[in-house]
Amino acid sequence: MMTIDAISFLPATSLPSLLPAGESNSTLTTGGAFGAWFEQHLSEINSKMAIADTGVQQLAAGDATNLHEVMINLQEARMSLQLMMQVRNHLLDAYHDVAQMQL
């Protein structure tokens, strides 16, 4: 069971409002903030994966000084990627649920 603490890293969002066409919508800035948050975390995951890859290459070449650090970096990159994939999957599921709703 997922708790509130498990998803506390997500940015707060406001509920969308139904505005007539042509009026500004404040939820667009929230979507932009989420996009920036998502992009930031993707770049962090990319850098973690690059660090882990460099460590594995050093290990294969015999240049690694600390096996434990290499393995920790590798596992951290793996878990970060899995978390981001789960967030993506849940967002896609929510999108499909909303798209299938009948008004």
Side-chain angles (χ1 to χ4, degrees):
M1 180 76 137
M2 186 179 287
T3 64
I4 298 297
D5 296 332
I7 58 171
S8 63
F9 67 92
L10 291 173
T13 59
S14 61
L15 294 174
S17 61
L18 300 174
L19 296 175
E23 291 188 26
S24 66
N25 191 347
S26 63
T27 58
L28 291 177
T29 59
T30 304
F34 180 78
W37 173 85
F38 200 75
E39 184 176 342
Q40 174 192 358
H41 284 282
L42 281 178
S43 67
E44 288 176 13
I45 290 170
N46 189 35
S47 66
K48 286 179 184 180
M49 291 182 75
I51 290 169
D53 187 48
T54 302
V56 169
Q57 288 176 0
Q58 288 176 348
L59 186 64
D63 296 334
T65 57
N66 190 350
L67 174 64
H68 297 295
E69 186 177 326
V70 171
M71 296 307 293
I72 289 170
N73 288 340
L74 190 60
Q75 187 66 14
E76 185 178 340
R78 180 177 167 262
M79 290 180 68
S80 296
L81 183 62
Q82 285 179 343
L83 175 64
M84 188 58 67
M85 293 301 293
Q86 287 298 319
V87 169
R88 182 200 69 129
N89 291 342
H90 285 287
L91 287 172
L92 284 174
D93 288 343
Y95 172 78
H96 289 300
D97 288 346
V98 169
Q100 292 176 358
M101 283 184 183
Q102 294 180 357
L103 298 178

